[in-house]
Amino acid sequence: YSDQNYTHIHHFDLGDQAGKVRYVNSGEITGTADNPFFYSEYNDHLRVVSTPYEWGNSPIGHKLSVLDINTPNEMTLTGTIEGFGKDERIYSARMVGDKGYVVTYRNTDPLFVFDLSDPTNPRQVGELKINGYSSYIHPVGKDHLLTIGEDADDSGITNGMKLDLYDVSDPANPTRKYTVK
């Protein structure tokens, strides 16, 4: 018996001109990754954001895993970063090129910024805390993120929908440029 939960990932090639599907390999990560935006393929690697052990708020934090998807039969884990967003729930994630963005929430909305340029060493490079949360992240050019979510007060009570535009041109210091409530 194990108290850990896992996400099993299967990789198929759908590009056959004859319409045939070909199995490539499989992999496994600890935790659950139940949102399509928690996955991103880039430069022969799959990046996955997951919550180990528990669904919802995680007392140990969340995990970003990077897997090499070209290894025969089994994907190889090349790098991870763990422990961000402790006691919070993941509300949204988006990986764009060699950057990753994750929003967790309890009373405030941390926007975590990750440098994914080295698949063997993903790193958290920035964080911005504001009230409320973002449930959807959309890239706008290479330096901005548009988010849709809920506004909240200091105690976490939500006050309605909000749109935010973040400037992530300096990944170590993301800033909110505009908000509409």
Side-chain angles (χ1 to χ4, degrees), residues 113-172:
V113 180
F114 297 93
D115 179 345
L116 304 175
S117 60
D118 178 357
T120 64
N121 187 30
R123 299 177 303 115
Q124 181 184 332
V125 293
E127 180 179 349
L128 174 66
K129 291 188 179 187
I130 59 169
N131 288 340
Y133 64 86
S134 300
S135 55
Y136 177 74
I137 302 171
H138 191 83
V140 179
K142 67 179 184 111
D143 292 333
H144 294 89
L145 301 173
L146 175 67
T147 67
I148 301 170
E150 291 272 337
D151 186 33
D153 63 20
D154 290 338
S155 63
I157 297 172
T158 57
N159 301 318
M161 190 176 115
K162 70 172 179 165
L163 300 172
D164 288 319
L165 182 67
Y166 295 96
D167 182 338
V168 291
S169 58
D170 178 1

Side-chain angles (χ1 to χ4, degrees), residues 18-88:
K20 293 184 181 178
V21 175
R22 181 180 65 86
Y23 170 79
V24 177
N25 56 17
S26 294
E28 177 181 88
I29 59 166
T30 57
T32 57
D34 57 359
N35 183 310
F37 290 109
F38 292 7
Y39 298 83
S40 173
E41 182 182 344
Y42 182 71
N43 284 347
D44 298 324
H45 289 86
L46 180 67
R47 294 91 57 94
V48 184
V49 177
S50 64
T51 303
Y53 303 113
E54 296 183 13
W55 290 282
N57 294 354
S58 176
I60 62 168
H62 305 284
K63 181 176 184 177
L64 192 153
S65 303
V66 181
L67 300 116
D68 182 337
I69 60 172
N70 284 325
T71 51
N73 300 321
E74 186 175 340
M75 294 179 197
T76 304
L77 184 67
T78 61
T80 61
I81 183 166
E82 301 181 61
F84 60 92
K86 291 181 181 175
D87 292 320
E88 298 178 337

